[in-house]
Amino acid sequence: MTENALTIRGLNKVYKNKVVALDNIDLNVGMGDFFALLGPNGAGKSTLIGILTSLINKSAGKVQIMGFDIDTHFSCAKSQIGLVPQEFNFNSFEPLIEIIKSQAGYYGLDRKSATDAAEDCLHKLDLWDKRKHTPRELSGGMKRRLMIARALVHDPKLLILDEPTAGVDIEVRRSMWELLSKINGEGKTIILTTHYLEEAENLCKSIAIIDHGKVIIDTSMGNLLEKLNEESFILYLQYPLKGTPILKDFQFKLINKKTIEVTLTNQKSLFDLFSLLNDQDITVLSIRNKSNRLEEMFIKLTSNKSN
Ligand code: ADP
């Protein structure tokens, strides 16, 4: 079992109001993995993270973190996890170095080790110059880095991030992606929840999708992307169409006279499509993906259940 960073068996959570938030979940997260946990609102992601980080009590099931059972080896299991919650929850008036040192103290590091670990984290997260500043003086991106620095100070093996890039601009998001890849490359196992499927596709090696408290997909990212056999494109035409084009074997719809949406399956390529259009003297000016492939599949998988 210990080659998994996280092993979950038959995990259930029923809240007092009888809502079944997790319904017999089984999941493995391998050591060193970068794991995406996706699901629509209300799927059970926060409940699952809450149980892993001992903020929420489970109703039934087994959870092992780096081989430590959360029921029988609670403190060992807890010390293996670093959590980056969605909301900033530090004291905005305390200097960064103190925020991180107190967290290290909370995990039982003595003063000297806490100071060393805090300084090390500030360097790693590129916050050293700001160590005497307070969070109020930081940019949004720096605040997020502070949350990560604090989560890493006790050197956990498993880092859990709950929507780390929610509401940040694209530049900060990209630099977060770089940072998280680097942390993963240095050997930390990472689990993240995100609403940005592009984020999961870019960063993660494995993916689980939960919906209504059940795991509906649990596979490698590569495997999932390979299975996505449909991709939709929007084609912008040079001239207005005179009639409906003949695109046998393609699903398509006319958005307007100069725009067509075409869905490709595994059997057909863009080359096939362009040849057909070319034969009918239809010139394509530009083309774009309708949405990210993972997004399309996610919508298909969950749309008929989540209303
Ligand atoms: P997600 O994080 O995927 O949006 P949650 O874990 O927050 O999902 O919620 C899963 C389900 O449990 C939802 O139906 C939600 O309304 C319910 N729920 C969450 N927290 C509580 C709670 N403290 N008491 C009762 N029901 C809850």
Side-chain angles (χ1 to χ4, degrees):
M1 289 272 250
T2 40
E3 67 270 19
N4 281 338
L6 174 66
T7 308
I8 297 177
R9 292 285 174 273
L11 186 63
N12 273 284
K13 174 66 188 177
V14 185
Y15 282 106
K16 280 203 186 96
N17 59 359
K18 307 249 165 45
V19 169
V20 180
L22 296 177
D23 186 0
N24 207 20
I25 296 254
D26 289 334
L27 272 181
N28 295 320
V29 177
M31 206 77 89
D33 203 352
F34 202 140
F35 191 95
L37 183 64
L38 297 178
N41 278 334
K45 303 178 297 293
S46 308
T47 302
L48 180 57
I49 288 182
I51 292 172
L52 300 181
T53 52
S54 63
L55 300 169
I56 295 175
N57 291 323
K58 60 187 166 61
S59 305
K62 283 219 150 293
V63 176
Q64 286 190 348
I65 298 157
M66 306 303 294
F68 295 110
D69 191 302
I70 60 168
D71 292 325
T72 55
H73 294 81
F74 175 75
S75 337
C76 290
K78 194 173 158 67
S79 68
Q80 305 297 321
I81 290 189
L83 173 68
V84 181
Q86 248 177 68
E87 309 289 336
F88 299 135
N89 58 355
F90 34 65
N91 176 349
S92 299
F93 300 93
E94 204 181 357
L96 269 57
I97 181 94
E98 296 306 325
I99 292 176
I100 301 182
K101 266 163 64 180
S102 354
Q103 179 82 355
Y106 173 72
Y107 278 95
L109 274 75
D110 60 52
R111 255 172 99 119
K112 166 85 173 72
S113 317
T115 306
D116 290 350
E119 290 184 0
D120 192 39
C121 280
L122 284 165
H123 279 297
K124 260 198 197 135
L125 276 291
D126 211 9
L127 289 169
W128 179 247
D129 292 346
K130 301 281 177 193
R131 66 192 177 284
K132 292 182 183 155
H133 292 234
T134 63
R136 289 189 330 150
E137 301 164 85
L138 302 183
S139 69
M142 288 174 188
K143 281 185 192 152
R144 277 170 204 274
R145 295 213 300 276
L146 170 60
M147 297 282 278
I148 297 177
R150 192 182 54 172
L152 288 175
V153 74
H154 62 291
D155 196 21
K157 302 283 179 296
L158 175 60
L159 183 65
I160 300 181
L161 302 113
D162 196 1
E163 297 200 26
T165 61
V168 304
D169 64 39
I170 194 82
E171 212 175 303
V172 174
R173 185 171 310 151
R174 296 214 177 261
S175 69
M176 287 289 285
W177 288 358
E178 259 175 49
L179 176 63
L180 295 177
S181 296
K182 186 167 154 251
I183 293 170
N184 179 241
E186 288 166 1
K188 302 269 184 231
T189 305
I190 299 184
I191 299 178
L192 70 81
T193 70
T194 179
H195 271 115
Y196 300 103
L197 298 162
E198 188 200 357
E199 181 160 289
E201 190 173 352
N202 276 319
L203 284 177
C204 298
K205 298 173 198 162
S206 306
I207 179 166
I209 299 179
I210 60 174
D211 190 25
H212 285 92
K214 287 189 196 311
V215 176
I216 55 172
I217 297 271
D218 176 17
T219 186
S220 73
M221 189 63 74
N223 215 339
L224 180 72
L225 294 176
E226 232 169 67
K227 278 196 203 134
L228 303 180
N229 58 0
E230 284 190 5
E231 195 167 7
S232 299
F233 294 93
I234 308 289
L235 309 185
Y236 299 96
L237 310 179
Q238 186 163 25
Y239 305 108
L241 289 162
K242 295 195 182 87
T244 305
I246 299 160
L247 298 175
K248 205 166 152 291
D249 301 330
F250 288 94
Q251 290 173 43
F252 69 100
K253 67 178 175 204
L254 303 181
I255 298 193
N256 59 45
K257 283 206 176 301
K258 286 176 80 175
T259 317
I260 319 176
E261 178 183 326
V262 185
T263 301
L264 259 63
T265 57
N266 272 347
Q267 293 79 38
K268 291 283 168 192
S269 67
L270 276 176
F271 179 78
D272 299 328
L273 174 65
F274 281 10
S275 306
L276 263 179
L277 290 168
N278 203 30
D279 291 348
Q280 295 167 66
D281 287 330
I282 298 170
T283 313
V284 176
L285 261 189
S286 66
I287 176 165
R288 71 166 172 86
N289 273 84
K290 186 184 176 200
S291 60
N292 160 305
R293 281 173 300 158
L294 199 53
E295 187 107 36
E296 276 192 38
M297 184 222 50
F298 184 59
I299 291 165
K300 258 189 233 156
L301 274 172
T302 57
S303 59
N304 46 354
K305 296 188 223 155
S306 60
N307 294 330

